[in-house]
Amino acid sequence: MTFSRRLTLLAALCASAGLHAQPPLSFSPCADTAVPGSLCAVKDVYGAYDERGLPAAGESLELFVRKIPAEGKATGTLWLVAGGPGESGATFYSLLPTLRRSFPGFDLLIPDHRGTGNSTRLCPAEEAEDSPGGRALAGAEWASCFASLNQAAQRARQFSITNAANDLQELIRDEHYTDKRPVYLYGVSYGTQLILRSLQLRSLPVKGIILDSLTPPQGRSRQDLSYRSHMVDRVGLEVLEQCDEDRACHALLGEDAAVVQARVLDKVQADPALLAKIPGKNLKYFMGSLLDVPAARARIPYLLRDLDQGGDTELAAVRAIMTAAAASLGDYAQSPLSVPLAGIISNSENNLQPFSAPGMRASDIEQGEAHLLFASPLPGLLLNNGLPTYRRDDYYARLPMRIPRMLVLQGTWDAKTPYRAGAGQVGLLQYNKAGDVSLSTVQHAPHFILWTAPACFEQAVTRFIGGKPARDCTL
């Protein structure tokens, strides 16, 4: 065997066995003040990986990681993987109190996915922190960013789920290769998809995994992103049905809630002055967004009554609730969603429309959603978005064969992932005997249990860390 062949074989064996020459992350005090007392580091990773996790063609990228040290002596480590796609780790900064209570004595490590936050961006110039829109695109930056991505489509295709999953492998393995303290991994929404993809590649050196609000299984019609409005409407109708079953709520409206909402939609559409007060001038979208925030969702009957009577007082109050909810997640330089990354990953893997109905037009979406009472703008935003896509690989629409001990948190009123779809994936992992996986059902909870049902989150995680069986909870 030649020296070069031995070297290639050794590299492959090291990759498969998780033997890395990379040193742990080198943390130092952060240059920003987003989380006082936090430490920051940057790790160089491959632009693309081959099927063995070895470098493929492509530029080197940088991944930003923030460490929030434990209060007192650290007894373990928790990695937090944000959702999206396109969201950075800044999503978790304002949720520190709940995380501290749920994981006492844990260091918190929060990476920004490739393409988000302070990590290497798809459009480095337009998404730079000191650009006109900061990390968000603004004005002429939209056109120049999209044009550059299409001119360098091969680079854009490096920002795939599987490459990001390899990044996660590199981060966790290199940091904990010699660290014997327990390591846990948490992901929410798209972050759950990223973690499951990473487990398909290779095992991870973690004691346990918490998945919060699974994404729908890939490749399933009526559950992909092109069908989002229908999923939103289904949850909205359940909320209205609960009002009908409650004597006081039904008396408030005087008739079935769905009848009132249908009438209100027509009234608002016919009143330009009132329509102008609705965010986005689309009441279906606004009503759909309320389902994600429990405090706003609880005001839906009152909002319908007020709008039905020609008022707008409750509308102002509900808008204030939504503004406060968004503000509760903080406003950091890293916070803006990477729209290019969201578009590329979504249309490559999580949206069936480009493949099942490539000739679809905006009018077709509008017609297909005409009968809905609640809706989402997402199907229309993804339609012909002008961004390159990448080819689906062999990991698409599959689950890992082996998993560490795992807890899944799923809300029954999740408007982004039907509860049955999330529970079904748990059932499939159990059926395949992939490992010890349990489901904690959170009744009436929407997406993102850590944020929307923190008491239930704390209860479930405390039991999981303590080795106790999962228990359901009600919001």
Side-chain angles (χ1 to χ4, degrees), residues 212-233:
D212 180 345
S213 307
L214 293 173
T215 58
Q218 291 182 319
R220 302 285 184 88
S221 61
R222 296 180 176 269
Q223 292 181 1
D224 70 296
L225 296 180
S226 68
Y227 207 73
R228 172 63 63 81
S229 287
H230 296 266
M231 293 188 282
V232 170
D233 187 64

Side-chain angles (χ1 to χ4, degrees), residues 47-48 58-59 61 114-115 121-124 145-161 163 340-345 348 386-391:
E59 66 178 289
L61 306 182
R114 60 169 61 201
R121 305 298 291 241
L122 276 158
C123 296
C145 173
F146 279 44
S148 68
L149 292 175
N150 282 288
Q151 290 167 4
Q154 192 57 38
R155 177 183 182 275
R157 294 185 179 108
Q158 293 181 164
F159 290 75
S160 67
I161 297 178
N163 280 334
L341 184 66
I344 289 173
I345 290 179
S348 296
L387 290 166
T389 56
Y390 57 84
R391 183 181 61 84

Side-chain angles (χ1 to χ4, degrees), residues 131-190:
S131 67
R135 294 298 188 192
L137 296 176
E141 292 178 335
W142 286 95
S144 60
C145 173
F146 279 44
S148 68
L149 292 175
N150 282 288
Q151 290 167 4
Q154 192 57 38
R155 177 183 182 275
R157 294 185 179 108
Q158 293 181 164
F159 290 75
S160 67
I161 297 178
T162 298
N163 280 334
N166 272 294
D167 291 344
L168 189 60
Q169 284 273 348
E170 292 292 308
L171 285 169
I172 295 177
R173 286 185 174 279
D174 289 347
E175 185 65 14
H176 302 291
Y177 182 58
T178 59
D179 187 351
K180 302 306 179 184
R181 294 178 303 171
V183 178
Y184 287 83
L185 177 59
Y186 165 88
V188 60
S189 192
Y190 163 73

Side-chain angles (χ1 to χ4, degrees), residues 31 40 44 56 65 74 97 103 119 170 185 205 227 248 307 361 380 398 467:
C40 293
D44 292 327
V65 183
F103 298 92
S119 294
E170 292 292 308
L185 177 59
Y227 207 73
L307 291 174
R361 299 169 297 180
R398 295 183 179 181

Side-chain angles (χ1 to χ4, degrees), residues 309-325:
Q309 296 174 352
D312 60 7
T313 302
E314 188 66 27
L315 174 62
V318 171
R319 291 189 64 173
I321 291 173
M322 294 297 286
T323 300

